[in-house]
Amino acid sequence: MKKLPRALSGTNGVFALMRNAVAANALAAAVDCGVFSQLSDWRTAQDVASRLRLHPESTKRFLDLLEFCGVVCRNADAYRNAVSTQELLGDGACADIAPLVREMAEGVLLPMQDLRRILREGPGTPPPPAAPAERGASDEGTGGVEGSACWAFRGVAGQVAAILAALPGAETFRRMLDLGGGHGVFSLYAAEALPALDVDVYDLPASLRSAAGYIAEWGFADRVRTVPGDYVRDRLPGGYDVALASCTLNFTLPDASTALVMDKLHAALVPGGYCVSLHDAPPAFAGETRSCLSDGRDIAAYPLECMAIGLVYGRPMAMPDGLIAETMLQSGFACVHSRELRTSGGTFRLDIARKKPA
């Protein structure tokens, strides 16, 4: 078993840039054209253009744009990756987040260019239930899984694992259900934090393709396994001490099946077991930062992104604030504790419910 990656210092800044349409597309273009791989050392725009067979004048203007974004540094006529860019995207990077960069530009931001048509004609065809980054991939491929795995590896999975390990009685946990776990990265970090824990990553078959590779790569095959299934339509396995639902319950919104899935989670837990939900409903979504442009605060990027995706595809993508906690109590959980969790991808809501002990 190899030690899993830790969060890097520059992750938050690069992730924040990916919420901006211009910056995200510039990052994606730089990745696809190999620009960052050429900037581990100081190089002129002419040198970069020559090495990559790019247009010299356009390359110069493009590097100036990247410098303005803060992802490259400039010294006279020479350019070099910023420290965080080199860590995350440079040649020999110890944490390659290129799949997430492409996903943000192509899967989230580019569809917004079609807003005029959407306003006139209505939304386009929604992605399959498992396609967006929060959960995984559709049956046609694994497009969103790799990007979501980058986000998980870059800090949030470690944060959630530490929260699980701090739960009262965590030392007695033996089994965990990672609901809609897709890539399985949250399961790996949970297994690392709790050495006695075995984990089932439960998701649609196509969404689990990457999980098998990550489980084998990091040496967790004896403790983490994949379990294919549809948590809306199928009955969940049982006997779990803890169930984690990370950025997946929002997919129950279109057909109002949130309560159904929560009932299944309650039934899947042993008495005294915990249900932990991480989802995109910070206070900002309830209106706290609606006046942010006039009072100097930054727009809450992740809720704004979810609103945009919902507009493009014609379905809600973010949980109404308080819905998960309320549904947990309605499903029979004895108590619920809720708080914010700040991650490299923005601020999320964390709801922790406990089933009544025997």
Side-chain angles (χ1 to χ4, degrees):
M1 184 176 73
K2 298 189 295 184
K3 187 171 180 59
L4 293 163
R6 301 297 110 182
L8 297 174
S9 58
T11 304
N12 287 13
V14 175
F15 275 44
L17 278 176
M18 287 190 286
R19 306 296 181 186
N20 177 281
V22 174
N25 282 287
L27 288 172
V31 167
D32 289 339
C33 292
V35 171
F36 294 128
S37 67
Q38 297 298 318
L39 296 178
S40 297
D41 298 308
W42 293 105
R43 296 192 190 281
T44 65
Q46 181 67 40
D47 190 12
V48 173
S50 176
R51 287 169 175 265
L52 298 176
R53 298 183 179 180
L54 304 176
H55 187 277
E57 185 176 345
S58 295
T59 301
K60 171 69 167 61
R61 291 174 178 171
F62 184 67
L63 291 175
D64 287 341
L65 187 157
L66 293 179
E67 188 224 349
F68 184 83
C69 292
V71 294
V72 304
C73 304
R74 180 179 175 182
N75 183 6
D77 292 330
Y79 301 83
R80 186 179 68 182
N81 288 331
V83 173
S84 58
T85 309
Q86 182 61 30
E87 288 180 334
L88 298 167
L89 293 163
D91 187 33
C94 58
D96 184 11
I97 64 166
L100 183 57
V101 171
R102 294 189 182 97
E103 178 189 316
M104 289 297 297
E106 298 172 10
V108 176
L109 297 169
L110 289 181
M112 291 299 291
Q113 296 178 356
D114 207 20
L115 276 181
R116 292 170 182 80
R117 183 198 61 78
I118 292 169
L119 287 172
R120 294 189 182 102
E121 304 174 14
T125 303
E134 293 91 343
R135 182 174 173 193
S138 70
D139 286 336
E140 286 74 33
T142 57
V145 175
E146 296 299 330
S148 179
C150 290
W151 170 66
F153 271 123
R154 296 280 57 84
V156 66
Q159 289 176 270
V160 171
I163 291 168
L164 295 176
L167 291 173
E171 67 280 359
T172 68
F173 292 171
R174 296 294 178 268
R175 298 186 66 211
M176 184 182 107
L177 173 67
D178 185 0
L179 188 78
H183 45 66
V185 177
F186 285 92
S187 295
L188 302 183
Y189 280 85
E192 182 183 66
L194 294 164
L197 189 68
D198 291 333
V199 189
D200 289 345
V201 189
Y202 187 96
D203 211 331
L204 300 173
S207 297
L208 294 173
R209 292 171 189 161
S210 293
Y214 288 130
I215 292 168
E217 177 184 354
W218 294 98
F220 284 88
D222 58 333
R223 296 177 50 215
V224 179
R225 66 169 185 162
T226 60
V227 179
D230 184 327
Y231 59 68
V232 174
R233 296 183 177 90
D234 301 337
R235 182 178 179 179
L236 296 177
Y240 295 104
D241 299 289
V242 60
L244 172 66
S246 176
C247 296
T248 190
L249 292 179
N250 55 304
F251 291 98
T252 65
L253 286 174
D255 56 2
S257 56
T258 308
L260 170 67
V261 175
M262 194 61 67
D263 287 345
K264 293 181 180 182
L265 286 171
H266 185 271
L269 292 168
V270 300
Y274 292 90
C275 179
V276 179
S277 171
L278 181 71
H279 56 94
D280 45 281
F285 210 90
E288 183 187 4
T289 61
R290 285 180 184 171
S291 61
C292 60
L293 294 179
S294 62
D295 64 16
R297 286 180 287 168
D298 292 332
I299 276 184
Y302 193 80
L304 185 63
E305 175 191 318
C306 289
M307 294 174 73
I309 299 173
L311 175 62
V312 170
Y313 294 119
R315 72 182 194 193
M317 293 298 297
M319 278 289 173
D321 200 32
L323 176 62
I324 292 295
E326 179 182 348
T327 306
M328 286 171 160
L329 292 173
Q330 292 173 349
S331 293
F333 285 96
C335 58
V336 180
H337 297 281
S338 303
R339 68 176 180 88
E340 292 181 2
L341 182 67
R342 296 186 179 276
T343 80
S344 57
T347 302
F348 288 73
R349 173 70 74 194
L350 183 73
D351 295 307
I352 302 176
R354 191 173 191 185
K355 189 172 181 176
K356 184 178 179 180

